[in-house]
Amino acid sequence: IPDNEVPLIAEARAMRRVALARSVQVESDRDASHFAERFNIDWDLSRLICSISENENMDPGLIFNVINVESQFNTRAVGKVGEIGLMQVTDPAAQEWAEAARVYPLPEEHLLDPRTNVLAGTWYLAKLLRRYAATDIRCSLLLRLARP
């Protein structure tokens, strides 16, 4: 490749990366709009859940359905044995996530923050799915729902 063409190739690659990033953002926004409408929730919350799902390589539909079953999208939900927030995260699961995320210890009241709760809950569910991938998703979901 002649030296005078190298900057053009670099510029073309950079433009392609920008176009790809915009394409992914548009798809993400479309997903967020779809789930916001489907579950009748705020677009910003839907966008947050989509973003975290993508970062954890999780299907956003799975995360939305877990939240719907666990808390019906009530950010202040508290379960019978102390599960907290959108994903009904237990303190031990939250502390495990906090340690992995290097934000340990995590005060329990932080689980009422939607971002923190979905981060911890999605991370924990992804961990279970990886651990029990040899079986199937039903096993991971049952283990998550049967947590102490």
Side-chain angles (χ1 to χ4, degrees):
I1 300 174
D3 287 343
N4 64 341
E5 290 183 21
V6 170
L8 293 175
I9 292 170
E11 183 179 347
R13 286 182 179 154
M15 290 173 63
R16 184 170 181 236
R17 281 192 300 270
V18 168
L20 183 59
R22 285 185 184 146
S23 167
V24 168
Q25 183 64 44
V26 166
E27 185 176 324
S28 253
D29 288 350
R30 215 175 299 134
D31 285 349
S33 294
H34 165 76
F35 288 116
E37 186 176 317
R38 178 175 171 200
F39 291 103
N40 194 29
I41 60 171
D42 182 68
W43 186 87
D44 290 329
L45 176 59
S46 183
R47 182 69 195 105
L48 172 75
I49 296 166
C50 284
S51 175
I52 292 170
S53 299
E54 290 164 13
N55 289 342
E56 286 291 336
N57 293 316
M58 294 289 287
D59 177 359
L62 173 63
I63 303 305
F64 277 91
N65 281 297
V66 167
I67 292 170
N68 190 42
V69 167
E70 292 285 345
S71 68
Q72 294 80 49
F73 294 91
N74 178 358
T75 60
R76 307 201 61 76
V78 177
K80 293 177 184 172
V81 293
E83 314 93 339
I84 298 173
L86 289 169
M87 293 191 74
Q88 293 292 278
V89 179
T90 61
D91 189 55
Q95 297 309 325
E96 195 175 329
W97 165 78
E99 195 169 332
R102 297 193 172 128
V103 293
Y104 184 82
L106 181 73
E108 200 171 271
E109 63 270 10
H110 286 200
L111 288 175
L112 292 172
D113 171 63
R115 183 176 186 280
T116 302
N117 192 280
V118 175
L119 280 167
T122 302
W123 176 88
Y124 192 74
L125 182 56
K127 178 185 165 201
L128 288 175
L129 288 171
R130 284 189 302 274
R131 180 183 294 164
Y132 299 103
T135 55
D136 64 32
I137 191 171
R138 291 172 295 189
C139 181
S140 297
L141 289 171
L142 288 172
L143 285 170
R144 186 191 184 291
L145 294 172
R147 70 205 177 279

